[in-house]
Amino acid sequence: MEQLSTTGPISASTIRDRAAHAAFGQPLVTNTLRGLIAEAIVATLLEPDWRWCSADYAAWDFDRGDGLRLEVKQSAVRQSWAQPKTMYRPATFDIAPRTGRYDGDVWLAQERRWADIYVFAHHSVADDTADHRDPAQWTFYVVPTAELPAQKTIGLARVRTLIAGCGFADLHAAVAELASRVLSNQTPLFERSR
C-alpha cells in the first residue's frame, strides 16, 4: 500500500530513484560506490559472455560458463570529497588473497585469490571534466592472477609494467584474448577447487 506524503504517493520506485540520484547523480561518485560504477561498465562490455555475479562478500565479480572468474578493482584520481587540486595520491588496488569464501551458506576456508583474471580500472581525469560515470574516461588493465605479485596491494605503476591499458571499446577483446590464454594454461576445471 502506498503511503501519502505532502508531495504525493511514496512508492518503492520513488525511493529507488531518489537513492540512485543521491548515489550516482553527480559526476564524482563516492569511494564506497565507485566500484559499482566500474563493474557496471565492465558488465555492459562483457555480457552476455560473462555473468555479473558480484554481491556482498562475493569472492569474484564475474564468471563465465567455462568456470573462469574475473575480479574488478578500481581507483580514481578525483574524489567526491573536497580535496586540494594538488593532492593526488598514486593509484593502488587491493589484491590481497582472501582467507576463504562462501559457497551458499558454507564457508570454504582457503587463502587465495579466487579470480583467474583481474581488471584494474583507473579513472585518471583530474580536471573539472572528471565524470566517473563516463566509460570513455576510464583505462582498463587486464592481468592474469598468476602474474600478480605476492603482496596485498599493487600500484598503478606496477600494473603498467605487466600490461598496457586499453579503453572501454577494447576491453571485451582484451578480456577474451587473456581468457583464452588463461584457459590454455589452466588446470582442468574438474580439478580446480570449488
Side-chain angles (χ1 to χ4, degrees):
M1 177 175 161
E2 287 189 356
Q3 294 182 347
L4 293 177
S5 74
T6 57
T7 60
I10 298 174
S11 66
S13 63
T14 300
I15 299 304
R16 181 200 63 227
D17 292 347
R18 291 191 70 166
H21 180 72
F24 305 110
Q26 299 297 315
L28 302 180
V29 178
T30 182
N31 290 353
T32 57
L33 297 174
R34 195 174 51 241
L36 188 59
I37 292 288
E39 288 179 22
I41 293 168
V42 171
T44 301
L45 298 169
L46 297 186
E47 290 173 338
D49 300 337
W50 291 82
R51 180 179 68 99
W52 188 8
C53 59
S54 69
D56 288 341
Y57 305 107
W60 56 87
D61 299 318
F62 294 85
D63 56 27
R64 216 166 66 163
D66 56 13
L68 281 183
R69 302 168 183 153
L70 184 144
E71 180 80 12
V72 177
K73 298 294 183 179
Q74 61 78 33
S75 183
V77 171
R78 289 288 306 271
Q79 303 296 315
S80 60
W81 40 270
Q83 70 188 75
K85 292 198 184 258
T86 57
M87 188 186 109
Y88 298 117
R89 294 188 179 114
T92 60
F93 305 93
D94 173 18
I95 58 169
R98 303 302 183 223
T99 58
R101 71 172 182 89
Y102 280 100
D103 185 8
D105 62 353
V106 176
W107 178 253
L108 302 175
Q110 182 182 14
E111 187 167 345
R112 63 177 277 199
R113 292 179 180 129
W114 291 91
D116 304 292
I117 297 170
Y118 275 67
V119 173
F120 298 102
H122 185 245
H123 191 278
S124 62
V125 179
D127 63 23
D128 290 337
T129 66
D131 188 339
H132 297 152
R133 304 163 303 177
D134 181 356
Q137 292 187 2
W138 289 83
T139 304
F140 301 92
Y141 303 85
V142 184
V143 179
T145 302
E147 292 182 16
L148 294 176
Q151 57 197 46
K152 293 182 179 182
T153 62
I154 189 169
L156 180 60
R158 176 72 169 106
V159 169
R160 287 176 171 157
T161 68
L162 299 173
I163 191 77
C166 67
F168 78 102
D170 297 318
L171 181 61
H172 187 276
V175 170
E177 188 276 326
L178 181 58
S180 177
R181 232 179 0 137
V182 167
L183 276 178
S184 68
N185 294 326
Q186 188 178 69
T187 304
L189 295 176
F190 62 85
E191 293 180 22
R192 294 175 68 198
S193 65
R194 285 184 49 124

